[in-house]
Amino acid sequence: MSINLRTVYAFAREMYPKLSTEYIQYGTAGFRGKAEFLDSVMFRMGVLATLRSRFRGGAVIGVMITASHNPEPDNGVKLVDPKGEMLDASWESIATDLVNVSDQDLEQHVAKIIKDNSIDITSSSHVFVGMDNRYHSPRLLKAVADGVIALKGNVREFGIVTTPMLHFFVVAANTKETYGKPTEEGYYEKLIKAFELLRNGQLENGNYKNNVVFDGANGVGARKMLQFIKRMNKSLNISVINQGIGPGKINDECGADYVKVLQRAAHIHAGCGTFHALCQRGWRCRPSGLLLHQRKGRVPTAGRDRIATLVAGYLMDLVTRSEIDLRLGLVQTAYANGASTDYIVNDLKFPVSCVPTGVKHLHHKALEYDIGVYFEANGHGTIVFSDHAKATIATASETKASAKTLLLLIDLINETVGDAISDMLLVETILNHKGWDVKDWISTYNDLPNRQLKIKVQDRNVIETTNAERVCVKPEGLQTEIENVVSNYKRGRAFVRPSGTEDIVRVYAEAATKEDTENLAYEVGVLVQRLAGGVGPELTKPGSAHL
Ligand code: NG1
């Protein structure tokens, strides 16, 4: 196969010219921005994925087109490495440079990547592409596919899928289907089979009832949930709201982020009658995040920390009962509620570590354990099992029922990345096994009230942090001022960090009471505005209006 790099330039010039000179960076969630400026970015990511696949000996590389929880006019792209991990950090800068180079320099730049990484450009390559249901995604998908074609790579388009589904397909293909079939059907099949075996015909137990409502946030998760329902043998009764067929927009006044960050009940654009009538539990979803909401009008009652503690406690119990010796660990970020960390460390006696925000950091740390549980700030989480853990569990499952359950859990969990649908099925399984309703679950510990704020500043990168983002080292003096403020509040904790996905600085605060939490968040927000170049309107003092 002969490849002429001139084709890359020709495609770029004719079809995907670079329209913006603004410097963009491959961040925690790949590239994100206004969709109208992303065509050239997508084309170049198609090129990069092909190079990466050749670099990795022809293994499948995934390209996901989504801006996840961002507003609808935004889109984004991220690459998935062969084992389902996020793109290796050493290639993030290659991605950044490739996207920022001018059209004129593109051909030479691609040649340099090939040379620097000793890539055999004539070898085979495979790229899987998926997209969310934003209206501009199909256009952007075509740009990615053209990037692959420009380098004569093989591209397989999956159309509208969730991000975790694409990770699943990549891993399934790269493991020669031992992980599952790399198709939408293969994904449903694997999860549903494990879920129904774990249910074992027991649909209700004690306080656990078999009805849930699923808020699809008008996103791709809603469509896929409907597909699940079609294939499930009524093993879980699910009503889907915000299906994306009414007037509602993606993540607009609904979804996990809206409910969690603003602490308001979501708008329900369809099927609201069913919400309370049917439901003891409501799952609020976006493609990645997950949140459980008990009743209409109430703020959320269970998010990532509750899920993490429920899962950790359950795994600990199964491992103990199976009489196997495995290293268990839970990975959190600074956003984890302080009360959850206390509960996990003191009551469950489960080892905990804290890492910076971003799935790649959590996933990486979780791999250090035999069974690593992680849940990201947004509720995005999963469990990873080492090969040693899998083999030990398989052996024990021959004699121990608890180990058999563990074995099925491995199949139920999308180990490749946090998957809200798989996580929901996992929680439903655990609650059913325990005979718990939401009240039982929530009563395990009391969350500290917490508050997040978004602060607009001139340049969010003036903020630098250390110690898993819990300490701010720049601008000078800000950390000392934060600590002074925090010391006035009982059980107070606060930190600030630049967002990796939005042009803002995030403030997190928690304290013993709701009122204190609001005041603490406000005070820290004002400090950020003063010391880090705030550009937004003045923050409203708590009590005077809604923040
Ligand atoms: P940033 O914008 O860096 O805070 C957000 C979420 C992360 C993760 C990424 C990627 C919060 C506080 N942060 O990151 O958890 O989901 O987006 O989508 O929710």
Side-chain angles (χ1 to χ4, degrees):
M1 174 171 53
S2 76
I3 290 174
N4 184 351
L5 294 184
R6 195 87 197 140
T7 321
V8 174
Y9 167 63
F11 257 107
R13 195 196 52 205
E14 297 299 325
M15 294 171 72
Y16 304 111
K18 195 164 169 329
L19 297 178
S20 162
T21 49
E22 199 183 316
Y23 184 80
I24 58 171
Q25 205 169 350
Y26 196 98
T28 40
F31 292 111
R32 291 222 179 146
K34 292 268 166 285
E36 63 260 37
F37 296 113
L38 288 178
D39 296 67
S40 72
V41 173
M42 297 290 169
F43 170 69
R44 292 166 187 218
M45 284 304 96
V47 169
L48 191 74
T50 312
L51 295 176
R52 178 93 184 135
S53 172
R54 290 189 171 129
F55 179 75
R56 296 295 305 261
V60 174
I61 297 292
V63 181
M64 184 68 202
I65 298 162
T66 180
S68 183
H69 63 276
N70 283 41
E72 200 164 86
D74 287 0
N75 216 318
V77 57
K78 53 192 165 194
L79 263 57
V80 181
D81 257 356
K83 286 187 182 159
E85 334 82 300
M86 301 292 163
L87 178 67
D88 190 87
S90 61
W91 274 60
E92 287 185 3
S93 51
I94 299 181
T96 299
D97 291 347
L98 178 63
V99 158
N100 287 294
V101 84
S102 71
D103 289 335
Q104 274 68 27
D105 293 337
L106 186 60
E107 183 183 339
Q108 252 187 0
H109 192 84
V110 172
K112 186 171 174 338
I113 298 175
I114 294 168
K115 185 162 171 275
D116 290 352
N117 294 281
S118 314
I119 296 169
D120 175 0
I121 193 68
T122 59
S123 60
S124 72
S125 65
H126 302 274
V127 176
F128 283 4
V129 196
M131 62 179 181
D132 70 13
N133 61 336
R134 285 173 159 82
Y135 63 89
H136 27 72
S137 292
R139 188 190 83 223
L140 299 176
L141 184 136
K142 186 173 176 305
V144 171
D146 280 346
V148 180
I149 291 165
L151 286 183
K152 295 195 180 160
N154 294 301
V155 59
R156 182 159 159 198
E157 296 174 16
F158 284 87
I160 297 175
V161 289
T162 66
T163 303
M165 285 169 86
L166 187 78
H167 283 251
F168 179 95
F169 303 150
V170 168
V171 175
N174 285 327
T175 55
K176 310 238 170 318
E177 303 196 9
T178 50
Y179 189 73
K181 285 193 211 96
T183 60
E184 201 161 327
E185 228 30 78
Y187 169 81
Y188 297 133
E189 211 176 83
K190 181 169 177 182
L191 265 56
I192 292 173
K193 186 169 168 218
F195 180 70
E196 293 187 341
L197 283 169
L198 281 159
R199 233 141 161 90
N200 198 15
Q202 175 185 284
L203 301 186
E204 306 216 326
N205 176 28
N207 290 337
Y208 178 83
K209 300 284 174 282
N210 189 32
N211 289 319
V212 296
V213 171
F214 181 93
D215 171 6
N218 301 312
V220 53
R223 296 188 185 205
K224 301 305 165 187
M225 196 68 245
L226 293 170
Q227 296 303 317
F228 261 97
I229 295 169
K230 269 193 202 157
R231 291 162 178 80
M232 283 168 113
N233 288 316
K234 291 213 179 299
S235 45
L236 183 63
N237 287 331
I238 309 172
S239 333
V240 181
I241 54 167
N242 293 325
Q243 295 185 7
I245 47 179
K249 290 191 177 151
I250 293 182
N251 299 335
D252 187 17
E253 301 189 321
C254 58
D257 217 36
Y258 176 81
V259 178
K260 177 73 190 163
V261 177
L262 295 181
Q263 307 204 350
R264 289 182 203 156
H267 278 232
I268 297 167
H269 298 286
C272 54
T274 58
F275 188 68
H276 354 262
L278 275 180
C279 153
Q280 182 200 45
R281 295 178 305 287
W283 287 105
R284 303 214 173 275
C285 243
R286 56 182 199 215
S288 50
L290 188 64
L291 199 67
L292 186 132
H293 190 284
Q294 194 169 4
R295 262 183 253 123
K296 191 201 170 212
R298 294 268 181 92
V299 289
T301 50
R304 70 188 169 235
D305 305 329
R306 294 282 171 187
I307 300 174
T309 51
L310 182 79
V311 169
Y314 187 62
L315 288 173
M316 184 79 123
D317 185 42
L318 288 176
V319 166
T320 311
R321 283 197 283 131
S322 304
E323 295 174 359
I324 46 182
D325 188 17
L326 294 174
R327 283 186 60 239
L328 276 70
L330 176 74
V331 190
Q332 297 188 315
T333 67
Y335 289 99
N337 196 282
S340 79
T341 314
D342 289 349
Y343 171 69
I344 296 161
V345 173
N346 302 327
D347 294 31
L348 297 179
K349 313 264 182 243
F350 207 94
V352 175
S353 39
C354 187
V355 299
T357 308
V359 172
K360 63 181 176 197
H361 300 295
L362 287 113
H363 197 84
H364 190 72
K365 186 77 191 168
L367 291 175
E368 290 179 13
Y369 301 99
D370 286 323
I371 303 183
V373 180
Y374 72 82
F375 280 87
E376 231 269 358
N378 63 7
H380 198 136
T382 191
I383 309 172
V384 286
F385 296 84
S386 69
D387 289 345
H388 169 65
K390 284 180 183 162
T392 311
I393 293 167
T395 311
S397 71
E398 287 163 18
T399 51
K400 301 267 183 207
S402 47
K404 219 176 256 170
T405 305
L406 273 171
L407 206 57
L408 286 172
L409 284 179
I410 298 176
D411 276 348
L412 180 63
I413 292 152
N414 187 345
E415 275 185 86
T416 64
V417 73
D419 179 337
I421 291 178
S422 150
D423 289 345
M424 180 191 85
L425 296 176
L426 170 68
V427 171
E428 290 297 325
T429 300
I430 302 175
L431 292 178
N432 185 5
H433 284 187
K434 285 182 174 287
W436 278 7
D437 62 9
V438 177
K439 238 167 79 198
D440 298 322
W441 182 11
I442 299 306
S443 67
T444 49
Y445 68 90
N446 291 321
D447 261 326
L448 286 171
N450 56 87
R451 186 76 162 109
Q452 282 191 50
L453 299 181
K454 297 181 182 189
I455 310 286
K456 276 217 169 295
V457 294
Q458 224 155 32
D459 173 11
R460 69 191 198 265
N461 293 318
V462 298
I463 302 239
E464 282 177 28
T465 62
T466 184
N467 193 1
E469 303 177 322
R470 290 170 292 190
V471 175
C472 174
V473 287
K474 272 191 187 158
E476 236 166 83
L478 179 54
Q479 182 62 28
T480 315
E481 298 235 21
I482 293 175
E483 283 167 18
N484 284 342
V485 168
V486 167
S487 66
N488 297 327
Y489 291 92
K490 200 170 151 217
R491 299 199 72 184
R493 185 170 73 92
F495 65 90
V496 301
R497 55 175 282 278
S499 159
T501 57
E502 292 174 63
D503 199 12
I504 47 147
V505 172
R506 294 194 197 276
V507 170
Y508 176 90
E510 66 183 33
T513 66
K514 193 161 172 17
E515 198 190 341
D516 277 1
T517 306
E518 296 292 344
N519 287 323
L520 177 56
Y522 166 76
E523 285 197 55
V524 175
V526 170
L527 284 177
V528 171
Q529 288 194 318
R530 181 158 61 79
L531 296 173
V535 289
E538 265 183 36
L539 287 175
T540 317
K541 222 177 158 127
S544 45
H546 228 341
L547 266 180

